[in-house]
Amino acid sequence: MRTRRRKCFRIGAALLSMGYLCCMLYLLFLRRRHTGKALRIRNYAAAHGYWKSIRDNTNLVPLRTIRRFYRAWRISLAENGFDLWDYALVNNAGNILIFVPLGIMLPYFWKAQRNPIVFLLTAAFFICCVEVGQVTMLLGCCDVDDLILNLTGALIGFILYHIC
């Protein structure tokens, strides 16, 4: 009876994980195809060239985007009372929260991922693939700040897995 319950739990976890991966695919790639930002990037690439578009939509300076959000928030609040803080908070919190389930799934399904170093390398590789995929498909930017925030979310999930 106990093994049957465990098997049902693993099947349920596998189905939830597949649903999570489908949602990730949609949110990170498919939904972005027709957004204004993706259309602007594709138009920019058509006008200035593919590689220039990739270069201009790649940020490899840590914390540049987060600082830019903070500066824009201070200026917008002082000048016209518009509060960008909500947008910045949602963007940063979303980048963290979207990868928490990955931090739980990897060590649950693969014992090798229970080693923190192996987990960090795998999660960083996966997140880098997402970032590079978005910029090469002209769907968004490749930002090291996203890598930092996504990896933070995956680490939170990893810690939660080990606590539970």
Side-chain angles (χ1 to χ4, degrees):
M1 186 68 155
R2 187 176 178 111
T3 57
R4 183 175 177 191
R5 196 176 304 149
R6 183 176 288 160
K7 186 176 181 179
C8 287
F9 183 78
R10 283 191 69 81
I11 290 171
L15 290 173
L16 276 174
S17 298
M18 288 174 31
Y20 166 73
L21 292 174
C22 288
C23 286
M24 291 282 288
L25 178 68
Y26 174 75
L27 288 172
L28 297 173
F29 294 102
L30 300 176
R31 178 182 70 122
R32 294 172 172 249
R33 290 183 58 213
H34 302 293
T35 62
K37 185 175 184 177
L39 293 173
R40 282 191 304 276
I41 291 171
R42 284 199 295 274
N43 289 337
Y44 185 84
H48 301 285
Y50 178 77
W51 293 109
K52 181 163 177 35
S53 175
I54 287 179
R55 220 177 11 261
D56 291 346
N57 286 296
T58 301
N59 170 36
L60 300 177
V61 179
L63 304 178
R64 176 188 282 171
T65 305
I66 294 170
R67 278 188 304 224
R68 196 176 294 157
F69 270 135
Y70 178 70
R71 265 188 255 121
W73 169 69
R74 279 194 359 231
I75 291 168
S76 69
L77 196 58
E79 288 181 359
N80 57 9
F82 178 69
D83 193 358
L84 273 177
W85 182 249
D86 291 339
Y87 175 75
L89 184 65
V90 166
N91 183 40
N92 292 334
N95 272 324
I96 291 171
L97 292 175
I98 197 167
F99 280 91
V100 170
L102 184 74
I104 296 169
M105 282 179 8
L106 285 178
Y108 179 77
F109 288 111
W110 293 283
K111 286 185 181 184
Q113 295 298 322
R114 294 176 188 163
N115 178 324
I117 303 299
V118 173
F119 171 79
L120 274 175
L121 292 173
T122 304
F125 176 75
F126 180 76
I127 294 165
C128 284
C129 287
V130 167
E131 291 294 315
V132 169
Q134 286 177 345
V135 77
T136 56
M137 289 189 260
L138 303 176
L139 297 173
C141 300
C142 178
D143 196 337
V144 72
D145 290 350
D146 287 349
L147 172 70
I148 293 167
L149 294 169
N150 295 160
L151 203 52
T152 300
L155 279 171
I156 290 169
F158 183 77
I159 292 167
L160 288 173
Y161 171 81
H162 283 288
I163 288 173
C164 294

